[in-house]
């Protein structure tokens, strides 16, 4: 096991195997309060201390279970580290169960409490969690490391008009009682612990899938995600059975900081992918893919994030290809690869080693996905091409079977790769090629980039437009991916005349497509195209997904920092704490 430097826990001494939560939601104070009871597996002989991760928690008491009941235990809370929080050290005598009573802070980094005005319905409040990467410790005292997996059960009380859901077996009935009991029988790492409460209703998508959303958005969400059951079917055909029972989606308010969060049995999803044409449902394919890579087979520390995200991006692309066709999958891959290669082009060798090191390099993960996972996905695609799918697909399926419900590191994967793929098929790849992926920075020179025929047409249209001002023919029929290619490969700074011409012809300002808006407003900001500033400000205020807003703030910071700060001040109440911290860093606040 790799020591996880992002956690104070000591899994080599003791591990939580089951967690029981008894929580009350207080929307007035914006806190959770209650207890977390840990069932413990001690290394022999049983130790004298249990160390848990916390951040900004008020500990009210700690008890240990004895043969006669419960007894109070001595504990200490260390001084807080700005990133890691405080270690909670409990003096024990090998107690089989330890209960911590506590209360969260209104500023808990893993929770967001929304006023009714910030929801689709505008009547009831909303609360949701985001535990990845190390934010679970802000709402539960626990071993906050992916190297520890535990099952859990929870009893949650809330205002009776709200529905409470967790990353567990919630059922499909949206009956509201104010008192909820859920069970997660499969062992999960702490970052997959999740909770949400709001005005939520359910719509089935298939026998084992469905969507939860506010009443105002449930219909559109169900239509957008109607291919979910088919995605599950094709993934099972490729990589083995779905082992989590149900796969449901929860559409959150726009402040959710990510495209999706793969909480098992209950993916949390951004509403920015619900635009009516299914062009952004690769986000759902990605989160579903995590049910195999990440949730089932998990990195044992955040240093090995590529084992989660790289594998998932690869599986996502296979799902997209099977459901939506080869060209769609090629365009998705080309967009991601282009973004990575462009980002790496101006870097020095030293910067490259930090930005995109070898897959076996240890680099601290701070809660945002870098370009590293794409390198992992690219590596797997390269292996697939070299060995063919007839060989590679069974290998990957065997990988998921062998390490199911386990946490592993890169060494474990490489050993499995050598034993089950390289040894039975010698001379297909060389040691030098393997080393280029695993140990050297950047993308290997021999790695081929995805080529899309439709993107070649888009590239020619862009070149003609930039050279002559001739607008691209047929662009009104372009898919989201074609527009992203057109804008992504365009210069960051364009003349007001070109921007005005493009905007008048295709109505990019005010688009409801968040992906197109992200790139368009990034160019708007970098070019100081003030005609679109009002709509750009509205976009930044309505949407809290980091992928969409951070590039725009980054561009504004270089041209009009005062305007960026003004917009942020207005938008901040609706942002998740994770998004707020990221924008503050960009603006130097």
């Amino acid at each position: 096991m790799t020591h996880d430097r992002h956690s104070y826990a000591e899994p080599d001494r003791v591990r939580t195997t089951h967690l029981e939560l008894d929580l009350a939601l207080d929307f007035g104070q914006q806190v959770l309060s209650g207890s977390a009871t840990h069932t413990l597996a001690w290394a022999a002989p049983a130790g004298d201390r249990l160390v848990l991760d916390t951040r900004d928690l008020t500990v009210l008491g700690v008890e240990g279970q004895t043969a006669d009941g419960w007894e109070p235990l001595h504990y200490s809370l260390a001084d807080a580290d700005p990133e890691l929080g405080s270690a909670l050290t409990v003096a024990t005598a090998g107690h089989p169960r330890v209960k911590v009573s506590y209360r969260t802070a209104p500023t808990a980094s893993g929770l967001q409490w929304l006023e009714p005005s910030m929801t689709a319905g505008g009547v009831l409040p909303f609360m949701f969690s985001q535990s990845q990467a190390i934010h679970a410790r802000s709402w539960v005292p626990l071993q906050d490391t992916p190297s520890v997996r535990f099952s859990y059960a929870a009893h949650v009380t809330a205002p009776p008009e709200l529905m409470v859901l967790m990353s567990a077996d919630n059922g499909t009935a949206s009956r509201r009682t104010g008192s909820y009991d859920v069970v997660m029988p499969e062992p999960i790492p702490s970052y997959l612990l999740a909770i949400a409460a709001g005005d939520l209703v359910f719509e089935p998508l298939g026998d084992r899938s469905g969507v939860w959303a506010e009443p105002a958005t449930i219909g559109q969400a169900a239509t957008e995600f109607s291919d979910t059951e088919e995605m599950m079917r094709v993934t099972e055909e490729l990589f083995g059975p779905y082992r989590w029972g149900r796969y449901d989606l929860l559409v959150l308010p726009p402040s959710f900081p990510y495209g999706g969060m793969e909480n098992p049995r209950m993916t949390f999803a951004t509403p920015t992918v619900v635009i009516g044409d299914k062009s952004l449902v690769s986000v759902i394919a990605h989160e579903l893919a995590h049910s195999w890579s990440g949730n089932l087979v998990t990195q044992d520390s955040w240093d090995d994030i590529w084992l989660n995200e790289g594998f998932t991006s690869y599986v996502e692309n296979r799902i997209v290809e099977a459901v939506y066709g080869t060209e769609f999958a090629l365009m998705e891959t080309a967009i991601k690869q282009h973004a990575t290669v462009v980002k790496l082009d101006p870097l020095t060798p030293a910067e490259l080693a930090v930005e995109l090191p070898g897959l076996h390099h240890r680099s601290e993960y701070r809660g945002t996905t870098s370009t590293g996972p794409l390198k992992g996905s690219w590596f797997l695609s390269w292996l697939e091409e070299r060995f063919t799918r007839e060989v590679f697909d069974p290998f990957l399926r065997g990988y998921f079977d062998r390490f199911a419900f386990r946490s592993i590191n890169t060494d474990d994967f490489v050993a499995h790769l050598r034993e089950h793929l390289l040894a039975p098929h010698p001379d297909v790849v060389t040691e030098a090629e393997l080393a280029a992926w695993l140990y050297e920075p950047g993308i290997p020179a021999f790695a081929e980039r995805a080529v899309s025929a439709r993107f070649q047409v888009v590239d020619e249209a862009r070149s003609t437009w930039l050279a002559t001002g001739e607008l691209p023919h047929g662009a009104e029929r372009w898919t989201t991916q074609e527009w992203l290619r057109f804008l992504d490969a365009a210069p960051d700074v364009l003349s007001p005349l070109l921007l005005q011409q493009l905007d008048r012809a295709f109505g990019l300002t005010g688009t409801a497509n968040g992906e197109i808006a992200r790139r368009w407003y990034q160019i708007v900001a970098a070019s100081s195209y003030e005609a679109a500033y009002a709509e750009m400000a509205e976009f930044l205020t309505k949407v809290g997904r980091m992928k969409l807003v951070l590039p725009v703030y980054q561009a504004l910071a270089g041209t009009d920092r005062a305007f960026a700060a003004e917009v942020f001040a207005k938008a901040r109440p609706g942002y998740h704490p994770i998004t707020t911290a990221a924008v503050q860093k960009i603006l130097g606040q």
Side-chain angles (χ1 to χ4, degrees):
M1 184 189 70
T2 304
H3 172 69
D4 186 354
R5 56 201 169 99
H6 305 88
S7 170
Y8 295 115
E10 301 172 325
D12 55 330
R13 289 175 172 267
V14 60
R15 288 170 171 260
T16 298
T17 59
H18 183 71
L19 180 68
E20 296 170 50
L21 296 173
D22 192 341
L23 300 174
L25 278 59
D26 187 333
F27 277 82
Q29 298 296 317
Q30 297 190 339
V31 299
L32 297 180
S33 60
S35 64
T37 303
H38 295 258
T39 299
L40 302 170
W42 292 91
D48 60 355
R49 71 171 184 259
L50 168 68
V51 181
L52 301 176
D53 293 299
T54 76
R55 183 189 292 131
D56 298 330
L57 296 182
T58 299
V59 178
L60 304 175
V62 182
E63 300 172 279
Q65 188 180 43
T66 68
D68 299 322
W70 294 86
E71 65 179 4
L73 300 178
H74 293 288
Y75 64 90
S76 62
L77 200 61
D79 292 338
D81 175 87
E83 182 175 0
L84 300 181
S86 304
L88 172 63
T89 302
V90 180
T92 73
H95 292 81
R97 300 173 76 214
V98 170
K99 179 191 295 184
V100 182
S101 298
Y102 69 99
R103 181 175 62 249
T104 65
T107 55
S109 62
L111 300 176
Q112 185 172 23
W113 304 82
L114 299 176
E115 298 295 330
S117 60
M118 300 175 185
T119 68
V123 176
L124 297 175
F126 206 110
M127 183 278 292
F128 64 88
S129 66
Q130 173 54 39
S131 294
Q132 186 176 335
I134 56 172
H135 298 287
R137 65 190 68 181
S138 74
W139 63 283
V140 181
L142 77 179
Q143 294 180 306
D144 197 9
T145 168
S147 65
V148 174
R149 304 178 70 106
F150 53 86
S151 56
Y152 79 87
H155 174 71
V156 184
T157 58
E161 64 271 19
L162 300 179
M163 185 71 199
V164 173
L165 301 170
M166 296 190 72
S167 52
D169 184 6
N170 299 280
T172 60
S174 53
R175 186 169 59 89
R176 305 177 191 190
T177 63
S179 179
Y180 303 90
D181 292 281
V182 300
V183 174
M184 167 50 79
E186 291 84 17
I188 64 167
S190 57
Y191 73 90
L192 295 178
L193 197 63
I195 188 170
D199 184 10
L200 297 167
V201 294
F202 178 79
E203 183 74 28
L205 299 174
D207 292 339
R208 52 181 176 163
S209 62
V211 60
W212 292 85
E214 294 184 68
T217 59
I218 187 69
Q220 188 177 6
T223 299
E224 199 81 4
F225 303 146
S226 60
D227 295 329
T228 299
E229 197 80 27
E230 175 65 6
M231 289 183 182
M232 296 176 71
R233 186 190 66 78
V234 300
T235 315
E236 287 184 311
E237 285 186 356
L238 290 169
F239 304 122
Y242 180 79
R243 311 185 199 209
W244 301 93
R246 292 193 57 80
Y247 181 76
D248 294 325
L249 297 128
L250 169 60
V251 180
L252 292 173
S255 62
F256 184 53
Y258 298 106
M261 181 62 214
E262 64 270 19
N263 304 311
R265 297 177 180 250
M266 184 63 67
T267 280
F268 284 17
T270 173
T272 62
V273 302
V274 183
I275 59 174
D277 63 1
K278 297 186 179 181
S279 65
L280 300 180
V281 294
S282 60
V283 169
I284 305 307
H286 183 91
E287 306 313 328
L288 173 63
H290 268 301
S291 300
W292 284 260
S293 50
N295 297 6
L296 186 64
V297 182
T298 307
Q299 65 198 21
D300 76 355
S301 85
W302 293 104
D303 288 323
D304 279 317
I305 180 64
W306 83 274
L307 289 174
N308 275 23
E309 295 297 338
F311 275 74
T312 294
S313 293
Y314 172 80
V315 174
E316 166 204 340
N317 200 251
R318 296 292 302 275
I319 297 171
V320 168
E321 178 188 309
V323 178
Y324 300 105
T326 301
E327 188 63 27
F328 190 106
L330 273 174
M331 289 192 292
E332 288 280 300
T333 301
I335 287 170
K336 295 171 186 175
Q337 291 181 352
H338 174 82
T340 295
V341 172
V342 168
K343 186 175 183 180
L344 300 180
D345 275 346
L347 299 182
T348 66
E351 291 171 329
L352 189 63
V354 173
E355 186 64 33
L356 195 61
L359 295 173
H360 206 290
H361 178 79
R362 305 289 183 196
S363 59
E364 192 142 2
Y365 177 66
R366 298 182 179 273
T368 56
T369 302
S370 68
T371 52
L374 176 62
K375 183 174 182 176
S377 174
W378 208 328
F379 172 49
L380 296 176
S381 295
W382 177 80
L383 287 174
E384 173 212 303
E385 183 180 355
R386 283 295 185 92
F387 287 93
T388 75
R389 288 184 176 179
E390 288 72 24
V391 172
F392 187 70
D393 285 0
F395 160 77
L396 199 55
R397 182 170 183 150
Y399 166 80
F400 292 135
D401 287 340
R402 178 179 180 181
F403 296 111
F405 299 109
R406 290 174 57 187
S407 298
I408 67 170
N409 58 31
T410 299
D411 286 333
D412 298 319
F413 167 73
V414 173
H416 183 80
L417 175 73
R418 290 187 179 281
E419 179 183 358
H420 294 280
L421 188 62
L422 303 188
H425 305 279
D427 304 323
V428 176
V429 303
T430 68
E431 283 296 321
E433 289 172 325
L434 190 63
W437 288 106
L438 294 175
Y439 305 108
E440 296 173 14
I443 300 295
F446 54 79
E448 295 184 4
R449 295 169 65 175
V451 177
S452 163
R454 286 165 68 172
F455 277 3
Q456 291 176 329
V457 174
V458 171
D459 290 343
E460 292 172 3
R462 185 196 321 99
S463 296
T464 300
W465 173 63
L466 291 173
T468 68
E470 180 184 345
L471 288 168
H473 296 295
E476 65 277 358
R477 296 186 298 275
W478 279 356
T479 64
T480 294
Q481 287 69 29
E482 287 166 302
W483 269 112
L484 288 178
R485 175 70 175 201
F486 183 86
L487 295 171
D488 281 347
D492 288 335
V493 179
L494 293 169
S495 70
L497 182 62
L498 281 175
L499 290 172
Q500 184 182 65
Q501 177 198 36
L502 195 67
D503 199 14
R504 285 181 174 175
F506 302 110
L508 299 178
T509 298
T511 175
N513 188 314
E515 290 286 352
I516 294 175
R518 177 262 306 170
R519 179 54 180 155
W520 172 246
Y521 291 134
Q522 189 179 8
I523 296 172
V524 163
S527 306
S528 299
Y529 181 57
E530 295 186 0
Y533 270 31
E535 288 83 356
M536 177 172 63
E538 184 178 2
F539 171 75
L540 292 173
T541 303
K542 285 184 175 180
V543 176
R545 183 181 173 189
M546 290 194 293
K547 178 188 177 183
L548 304 185
V549 301
L550 296 188
V552 183
Y553 277 113
Q554 191 73 57
L556 273 176
T559 58
D560 197 339
R561 189 175 293 266
F563 180 73
E566 178 185 327
V567 173
F568 177 51
K570 182 179 179 182
R572 179 173 179 170
Y575 283 172
H576 191 281
I578 298 173
T579 307
T580 296
V583 177
Q584 286 177 318
K585 184 177 180 180
I586 290 172
L587 300 182
Q589 297 181 1

